[in-house]
Amino acid sequence: MRRGILIFYMMILGFSFLLPVSGLAEQDKKVYVVPIQKEVEKGLHAFLQRALEDAEDNQAETIIFDIDTPGGLVDAAGDIGQLLDGVEADTVAFVNNNALSAGAFIALHADEIYMVPNGHIGSAAVIDQAGNAADKKAQSYWLSAMKSAAESSGRDPLYALAMADESVEIPELGIEKGELLTLGAKEAQQVGYSEGTVNNLDQLYKELGVDESSVHVVEETFAEKLARFITNPIVVPILLSLASLGLVVELYSPGFGVAGSIGLASLLLFFYGHLVAGLAGYETIILFVIGIILIAAEFFLPGGIAGGLGVAAVLGSIMMAGGNLMQMGISILIALFIAVIAMIIFVKVFGKKMKLFNKIILKDSTNTESGYVSNANRLELIGKIGETKTPLRPSGTIIIDDERIDAVTEGGYIAVNQKVKVVKVEGSRIVVRDLS
């Protein structure tokens, strides 16, 4: 009996030790909150990659994406979608206002979706940089991607297709042809595109059973914020235009001043932002430096080959750093157009001349006005009378004061031993006229 009672108490004691451990394990459940704010671009992908690696290294069990974005680049969204597919932890998309276009695509890759009462998700048609509908090839890719994103998280792909294709009709939601689907919080929960509606992150923590003390919010570093700003499709052509304008102004200004410094700083910012964002590697920087060296070498080498290769290397490095060749091509064309306009204004309006090449371009000329002649001008012969030594047909030899002189006629033939008069002297050319 005593042995039985002792075993019973030992079992109770053992359970008393296990209960706090279980509670501690639940309390230590690590949750990461990762913001997805503003536009979706390549810089955001680099930030999310760093944040997810940090969460994985710290064995996070749940990752909450705090989403509020109007959308962005399709290729960036595709890369982010692949990034989210590789996450082993539970993922939750918290639509904290809007998850539109590329934002909707990212949200669909999460295991669960929660929305604020006034939140919206959808309107995911793919458009080009001019704001028009993209070509059929791009649309086909995007529709397939939206469908796969919905299916990967167990959601009906019909609504995802309706978000991206205006030809899809959903009568029960009042969506007819020519309209894109955008779901509010209530509608999203109704069609299974949301697990619930909460007012804020605190309510979401309670809904998920998360202790706030175990939550770690990932913040963007200053370098990442700067990189996201610099790699924005609107900022890139501005930076390249500033760089080209700075170069043009320096070409027409003596020395190296403020304009050149602004141009150089713009280029450095361009490469820095793309390097931090993971779009550019050190090979692009090396190619850019080689291009600058070749352009500088052109000042001392003849032929123009080094300069041409240098310009090609610089443009190639910029194209490689951008990631999206079409976007970078348009940005470079804008910068070159602005540079050409600036050069025309400097020359035609202000009458400026390039100062940069003054020291390497020979401007002195050996003209007659400066006292340079290729032959002695025999001006003293004008008006003198001589005799032809040979026939002039129309050139030949004449004798003046016992001096043999090569001469030409005004155009006609003069026989030998004829009297002639010098009527014109042009350097070594002496023109005579027949006096017979």
Side-chain angles (χ1 to χ4, degrees), residues 32-363:
Y32 269 60
V33 177
V34 181
I36 299 179
Q37 310 291 331
K38 300 180 182 178
E39 292 188 0
V40 176
E41 27 68 30
K42 292 291 187 176
L44 176 62
H45 174 268
F47 162 66
L48 291 177
Q49 188 172 30
R50 193 264 300 177
L52 293 177
E53 287 175 356
D54 187 21
E56 183 179 351
D57 292 341
N58 287 279
Q59 299 179 341
E61 298 181 36
T62 302
I63 300 175
I64 300 173
F65 297 102
D66 186 0
I67 302 176
D68 183 13
T69 174
L73 299 177
V74 170
D75 52 351
D79 292 340
I80 292 172
Q82 291 182 0
L83 198 62
L84 267 58
D85 287 339
V87 176
E88 295 182 1
D90 296 332
T91 54
V92 177
F94 175 47
V95 181
N96 194 5
N97 198 16
N98 291 318
L100 304 178
S101 190
F105 175 76
I106 293 172
L108 289 177
H109 280 271
D111 298 325
E112 296 180 275
I113 299 176
Y114 287 85
M115 301 176 65
V116 295
N118 295 323
H120 296 88
I121 181 172
S123 186
V126 57
I127 58 175
D128 58 22
Q129 292 186 344
N132 303 315
D135 57 34
K136 291 183 179 180
K137 183 178 180 180
Q139 290 182 10
S140 176
Y141 160 77
W142 185 241
L143 289 174
S144 176
M146 288 289 291
K147 180 181 178 182
S148 298
E151 291 176 341
S152 65
S153 53
R155 299 181 177 93
D156 188 345
L158 174 65
Y159 302 102
L161 291 174
M163 292 177 181
D165 186 359
E166 59 184 17
S167 66
V168 177
E169 294 183 80
I170 305 181
E172 62 270 23
L173 296 178
I175 301 299
E176 301 177 353
K177 284 187 176 181
E179 297 179 348
L180 294 174
L181 175 62
T182 300
L183 297 172
K186 184 177 180 180
E187 294 170 325
Q189 193 167 356
Q190 176 184 339
V191 300
Y193 270 49
S194 170
E195 274 65 41
T197 304
V198 294
N199 291 322
N200 47 46
L201 276 171
D202 292 336
Q203 284 194 7
L204 179 60
Y205 297 152
K206 293 179 181 178
E207 186 72 23
L208 298 176
V210 172
D211 190 336
E212 290 189 33
S213 62
S214 64
V215 174
H216 175 74
V217 179
V218 181
E219 300 288 349
E220 285 183 302
T221 64
F222 173 77
E224 288 170 335
K225 290 179 180 178
L226 182 61
R228 288 193 62 185
F229 174 77
I230 291 172
T231 56
N232 188 289
I234 298 176
V235 177
V236 168
I238 294 175
L239 279 177
L240 295 180
S241 298
L242 285 174
S244 64
L245 277 175
L247 175 61
V248 168
V249 173
E250 283 303 318
L251 290 176
Y252 292 92
S253 304
F256 189 83
V258 177
S261 300
I262 292 175
L264 183 60
S266 299
L267 277 178
L268 291 176
L269 278 175
F270 170 82
F271 282 104
Y272 170 79
H274 287 76
L275 191 64
V276 172
L279 300 175
Y282 289 106
E283 67 278 0
T284 60
I285 307 298
I286 294 172
L287 183 61
F288 176 76
V289 172
I290 291 174
I292 296 298
I293 293 173
L294 288 173
I295 292 174
E298 178 60 29
F299 296 157
F300 309 100
L301 299 175
I305 297 177
L309 291 175
V311 171
V314 169
L315 294 178
S317 65
I318 293 174
M319 293 287 286
M320 289 172 59
N324 188 313
L325 293 180
M326 180 174 292
Q327 176 190 329
M328 289 308 305
I330 294 173
S331 299
I332 290 174
L333 288 177
I334 292 173
L336 291 177
F337 176 77
I338 291 176
V340 171
I341 294 298
M343 292 178 71
I344 294 173
I345 292 174
F346 270 103
V347 174
K348 298 296 184 181
V349 178
F350 299 106
K352 296 285 187 178
K353 295 183 179 180
M354 289 189 181
K355 305 291 185 180
L356 180 65
F357 303 116
N358 282 353
K359 295 182 179 180
I360 60 175
I361 295 178
L362 180 63
K363 292 191 171 183

Side-chain angles (χ1 to χ4, degrees), residues 377-419:
N377 259 337
R378 302 293 302 274
L379 298 178
E380 74 278 3
L381 296 177
I382 296 177
K384 287 193 174 185
I385 307 298
E387 185 177 307
T388 58
K389 181 67 174 177
T390 65
L392 303 185
R393 308 172 183 269
S395 64
T397 304
I398 64 173
I399 301 293
I400 297 179
D401 298 335
D402 297 326
E403 181 183 356
R404 294 172 63 94
I405 298 173
D406 293 328
V408 296
T409 69
E410 291 179 308
Y413 169 80
I414 302 175
V416 67
N417 299 325
Q418 300 294 315
K419 296 291 183 180

